[in-house]
Amino acid sequence: MSLNKYIDHTILKANATRAQVEKLCDEAAEHGFASVCVNSCWVPLCAERLAGTGVNVCTVIGFPLGAMSTAGKAAEAAAAVADGADELDMVINVGWLVAGEDDLVRDDIAAVVAAAKGRCVKVIIETCLLDDEQKVRACELSAEAGATFVKTSTGFSTGGATVHDVELMAKTVAGRCKVKASGGVHNATEAQAMIDAGADRIGTSSGIAIVSESE
């Protein structure tokens, strides 16, 4: 099975340059990836460069900690949409979730969903910081708030995607959302394992290596 359509071709490091982002876009177009995933300052560049290619522009909201204000996240989401983003990957407020402040978590997600105006919203639950009960609750709240996907990880915390977490998330959302595995997926074998576990999308900076290996 071709893996290219599963891949969000990603560069989120703080020191990413214009030339690197342009290269990311060109690689994504060449290989037919699902999207490029970039920090929001690069959305206008990517939207222009990828116009007509079929590759979506994905950006991150409240990244990487998720602990900014709900109003701030909604404003960031609205600005990204205005700049041409097709998909928004937002980080939940992990502290609120751990403390059981579920209404705040749900409202935080719902505010970004509203600002997205019908565009794809992926909710990063940062599985490495949660136990299984918390992961399930995060997925339930994401589905209730209208998220399109639940996503494992930012790749900037203590761990990335695991087969166990993807299986748990897929079982929990049960078709109400899709699942994105992100963080630590470096080769075609790892990517296929995530897909077999229930992932509908793979977030990775190793997209070229993955598709080269799978071919």
Side-chain angles (χ1 to χ4, degrees):
M1 178 170 50
S2 177
L3 299 178
N4 61 317
K5 288 300 181 187
Y6 286 91
I7 290 174
D8 287 350
H9 196 35
T10 302
I11 188 166
L12 292 168
K13 59 187 183 180
N15 58 344
T17 64
R18 182 177 302 274
Q20 288 173 319
V21 173
E22 288 173 344
K23 182 170 183 261
L24 186 87
C25 290
D26 295 346
E27 290 170 345
E30 178 186 348
H31 293 280
F33 290 147
S35 82
V36 295
C37 188
V38 295
N39 284 297
S40 59
C41 70
W42 300 116
V43 168
L45 169 66
C46 294
E48 181 180 359
R49 201 167 183 93
L50 290 169
T53 64
V55 178
N56 280 345
V57 178
C58 173
T59 194
V60 287
I61 305 297
F63 195 86
L65 301 178
M68 68 194 290
S69 69
T70 296
K73 286 181 184 174
E76 188 177 18
V81 166
D83 283 341
D86 304 296
E87 305 185 3
L88 307 174
D89 288 19
M90 70 164 287
V91 188
I92 64 162
N93 190 307
V94 182
W96 285 349
L97 182 85
V98 170
E101 299 189 73
D102 289 6
D103 289 345
L104 288 175
V105 175
R106 188 189 299 107
D107 290 349
D108 192 58
I109 299 165
V112 173
V113 170
K117 297 182 177 176
R119 288 162 183 79
C120 173
V121 174
K122 310 189 199 92
V123 178
I124 305 170
I125 67 173
E126 203 68 288
T127 48
C128 60
L129 302 180
L130 306 176
D131 62 29
D132 280 2
E133 181 275 330
Q134 292 163 340
K135 294 167 194 170
V136 167
R137 197 153 37 86
C139 289
E140 290 289 353
L141 293 167
S142 299
E144 290 168 15
T148 319
F149 279 76
V150 288
K151 175 178 168 181
T152 58
S153 320
T154 60
F156 283 73
S157 189
T158 58
T162 67
V163 166
H164 166 78
D165 287 340
V166 171
E167 287 176 342
L168 179 65
M169 292 163 69
K171 179 182 175 184
T172 301
V173 297
R176 293 173 293 165
C177 303
K178 296 178 180 180
V179 177
K180 177 175 172 178
S182 185
V185 183
H186 300 305
N187 58 53
T189 301
E190 291 170 352
Q192 189 63 56
M194 296 300 170
I195 293 165
D196 292 344
D200 303 283
R201 198 77 71 84
I202 304 290
T204 179
S205 56
S206 304
I208 303 299
I210 288 170
V211 294
S212 299
E213 184 185 334
S214 68
E215 289 164 1

